[in-house]
């Protein structure tokens, strides 16, 4: 997966929380944006594996693994994977929160084509945060090795793209894990807690795309003391922090009495646990599809959701995920030239066969501002010119934009910088 630098300015966006976000209103907003996540394509497979990490003296890492399959059940064969295999997500639990209290995540993600690995380590009163982080970083590689083992139910289905993630303590540990490994493709977490060693310090060496969730009524890991300094310290070229209005710390997991005991004295959440989960999954779907599956269109969907959803605030730094979707043989998209540009830039592409081609310019919120080409196109090399104007002939403002070229079922995208 190619990670291209995106050193654009920091864009901070704010939407006014509505307090109570009903599922019906959320569904209407998503439908209006035409960004409904695709339905699940697979059943839920499961296996339990205990790994041994030789780099840490044979440390034992008992792990629950959930994966896409054609038949639901334990130790069933993994489904036929797309080219590149199914991405892996390693998920860390919170302090004294049972690993199984995050089933809403794997029950949603695995049928959509993700392998979710949950280590059952560091569950006691005195957990080692660093070991949990290293467990999260270790698992994608161990699972990739299982994917090459004919005796494993994961045989033939594991990809190299992977993310580390977690809630509360596990969220902080995800920073430690991502900082320890150069093979991690992305990081996301839920109400991440500061750890020992410091997750805030570790964030400074993380450069992969990051998505950080916070709850507005979280007094267990208050954002100003935990997620905000983590987000600020991240060295990622593209990073996003989302605050869910009315969301509590413990509602990022399933109901857990010990966690809720720790919330004594906190303000009550103003949205339900189900609503909080739905908001997380709605935003997580396109983000993961882009970062781990290379889906360029999903990045635009993610931006549209951020701009259009009520009940959240967010901030984002960077103008692109930095990932340009591998272009199939039918389409080769060249870099716009000149870029940056002041008056006009030429976008050139080549087709190996005739195709219906659309060339559109998008702003950083994912909104199409100009259609440059939309018709059947013969094989060969073609060029279109963007003059920095929208579909109504008006001059758009200076800043970052994207050109997306779709040819049949393949597409590619490039960034554009307009200066005035």
């Amino acid at each position: 997966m190619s990670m291209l630098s995106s050193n654009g300015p920091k864009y901070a966006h704010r939407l006014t929380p509505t307090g109570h976000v009903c599922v019906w209103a959320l569904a209407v907003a998503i439908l209006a944006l035409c960004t409904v996540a695709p339905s699940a394509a697979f059943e839920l497979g499961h296996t339990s594996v205990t790994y041994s990490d030789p780099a840490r003296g044979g440390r034992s890492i008992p792990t629950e693994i959930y994966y896409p399959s054609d038949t639901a059940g334990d130790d069933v064969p993994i489904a036929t994977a797309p080219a590149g295999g199914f991405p892996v997500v390693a998920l860390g639990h919170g302090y004294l929160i049972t690993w199984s209290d995050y089933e809403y995540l794997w029950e949603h993600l695995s049928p959509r084509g993700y392998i979710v690995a949950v280590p059952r380590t560091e569950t006691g009163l005195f957990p080692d945060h660093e070991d949990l982080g290293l467990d999260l970083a270790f698992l994608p590689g161990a699972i990739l090795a299982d994917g090459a083992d004919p005796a494993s139910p994961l045989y033939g289905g594991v990809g190299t793209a992977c993310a580390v993630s977690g809630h509360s303590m596990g969220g902080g540990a995800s920073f430690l894990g991502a900082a320890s490994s150069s093979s991690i493709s992305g990081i996301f977490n839920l109400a991440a807690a500061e750890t020992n060693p410091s997750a805030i310090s570790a964030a400074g060496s993380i450069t992969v795309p990051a998505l950080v969730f916070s709850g507005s009524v979280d007094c267990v890991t208050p954002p100003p003391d935990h997620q905000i300094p983590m987000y600020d310290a991240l060295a990622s070229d593209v990073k996003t922090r989302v605050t869910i209005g009315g969301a509590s710390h413990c509602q990022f997991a399933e109901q857990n009495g010990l966690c809720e005991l720790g919330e004594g004295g906190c303000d009550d959440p103003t949205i339900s646990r189900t609503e909080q989960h739905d908001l997380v999954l709605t935003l997580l779907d396109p983000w993961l599809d882009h970062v781990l599956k290379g889906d360029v269109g999903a990045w635009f969907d993610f931006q549209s959701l951020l701009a259009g959803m009520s009940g959240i605030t967010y901030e984002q730094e960077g103008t692109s995920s930095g990932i340009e979707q591998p272009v199939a043989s039918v389409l080769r998209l060249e870099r716009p030239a000149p870029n940056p540009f002041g008056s006009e830039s030429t976008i050139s592409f080549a087709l190996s066969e005739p195709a219906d081609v659309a060339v559109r310019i998008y702003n950083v919120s994912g909104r199409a501002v100009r259609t440059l080409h939309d018709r059947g196109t013969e094989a060969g090399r073609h060029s279109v010119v963007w003059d920095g104007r929208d579909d109504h002939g008006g001059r758009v403002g200076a800043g970052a934009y994207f050109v997306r070229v779709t040819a049949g079922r393949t597409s590619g995208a490039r960034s554009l910088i307009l200066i005035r």
Side-chain angles (χ1 to χ4, degrees):
M1 180 174 295
S2 173
M3 304 300 300
L4 302 181
S5 177
S6 175
N7 297 316
K10 180 173 181 178
Y11 291 87
H13 309 261
R14 293 287 186 265
L15 298 177
T16 304
T18 60
H20 185 83
V21 181
C22 69
V23 176
W24 176 85
L26 176 60
V28 170
I30 296 170
L31 286 170
L33 289 166
C34 301
T35 53
V36 178
S39 59
F42 304 101
E43 298 294 331
L44 182 64
H46 166 259
T47 190
S48 298
V49 181
T50 297
Y51 293 106
S52 177
D53 183 0
R56 288 181 288 163
R59 173 178 168 84
S60 179
I61 308 172
T63 305
E64 304 300 322
I65 303 174
Y66 299 88
Y67 54 91
S69 62
D70 294 323
T71 304
D74 292 335
D75 298 314
V76 295
I78 196 168
T80 301
F86 293 115
V88 176
V89 174
L91 172 66
H93 63 84
Y95 176 64
L96 297 182
I97 300 179
T98 308
W99 65 268
S100 60
D101 284 341
Y102 302 93
E103 62 181 347
Y104 79 97
L105 285 166
W106 61 73
E107 286 184 350
H108 178 85
L109 292 177
S110 292
R112 295 189 69 253
Y114 292 93
I115 299 168
V116 180
V118 191
R120 293 187 285 109
T121 57
E122 303 309 320
T123 58
L125 288 173
F126 305 102
D128 188 306
H129 300 157
E130 184 173 27
D131 271 336
L132 180 56
L134 293 175
D135 291 346
L136 294 174
F138 172 81
L139 285 175
I143 293 170
L144 181 63
D146 275 355
D149 180 359
S152 169
L154 304 178
Y155 178 63
V158 185
T160 57
C162 60
V164 290
S165 66
H167 170 229
S168 194
M169 174 185 74
S174 70
F175 283 96
L176 303 178
S180 73
S181 173
S182 61
S183 64
I184 303 299
S185 311
I187 176 175
F188 72 89
N189 40 59
L190 313 168
E194 171 65 324
T195 54
N196 182 22
S198 171
I200 296 171
S201 296
S205 61
I206 296 173
T207 59
V208 296
L211 175 59
V212 178
F213 285 99
S214 301
S216 71
V217 294
D218 181 355
C219 75
V220 178
T221 58
D225 300 324
H226 296 264
Q227 300 96 54
I228 291 176
M230 292 173 190
Y231 173 83
D232 288 342
L234 278 165
S236 306
D237 286 330
V238 176
K239 56 185 181 180
T240 308
R241 190 179 71 85
V242 175
T243 300
I244 300 177
S248 72
H249 182 83
C250 294
Q251 284 191 166
F252 282 111
E254 305 291 352
Q255 187 170 6
N256 180 284
L258 284 175
C259 186
E260 291 170 3
L261 184 64
E263 287 186 313
C266 297
D267 291 338
D268 291 333
T270 59
I271 61 174
S272 72
R273 189 181 307 273
T274 298
E275 290 167 341
Q276 189 165 329
H277 291 179
D278 286 345
L279 284 163
V280 168
L281 296 175
T282 298
L283 288 167
L284 186 58
D285 279 345
W287 187 87
L288 278 176
D289 284 352
H290 184 62
V291 172
L292 297 189
K293 295 182 180 179
D295 185 340
V296 172
W299 178 251
F300 300 123
D301 293 344
F302 179 62
Q303 295 300 318
S304 295
L305 285 168
L306 287 175
M309 290 175 67
S310 61
I312 67 167
T313 63
Y314 75 101
E315 58 182 321
Q316 185 174 74
E317 183 170 336
T319 60
S320 164
S321 70
I323 298 172
E324 297 182 359
Q325 180 170 317
V327 177
S329 59
V330 68
L331 169 67
R332 186 181 77 249
L333 176 59
E334 300 175 9
R335 296 183 182 278
N339 189 26
F341 72 102
S343 57
E344 60 181 35
S345 182
T346 299
I347 299 147
S348 299
F349 60 93
L351 302 176
S352 62
E353 60 187 52
D356 291 329
V357 175
V359 181
R360 292 187 173 91
I361 304 295
Y362 295 82
N363 63 18
V364 291
S365 296
R367 183 176 63 85
V369 297
R370 180 76 178 272
T371 297
L372 298 173
H373 182 97
D374 189 7
R375 61 181 180 272
T377 306
E378 296 298 320
R381 189 175 185 275
H382 306 271
S383 296
V384 294
V385 174
W386 185 37
D387 58 3
R389 296 182 181 273
D390 60 23
D391 282 328
H392 304 289
R395 285 161 51 93
V396 301
Y401 295 84
F402 307 95
V403 56
R404 184 183 184 189
V405 179
T406 301
R409 295 185 178 182
T410 64
S411 65
R414 301 289 190 186
S415 61
L416 282 161
I417 304 297
L418 173 61
I419 57 178
R420 295 292 193 190

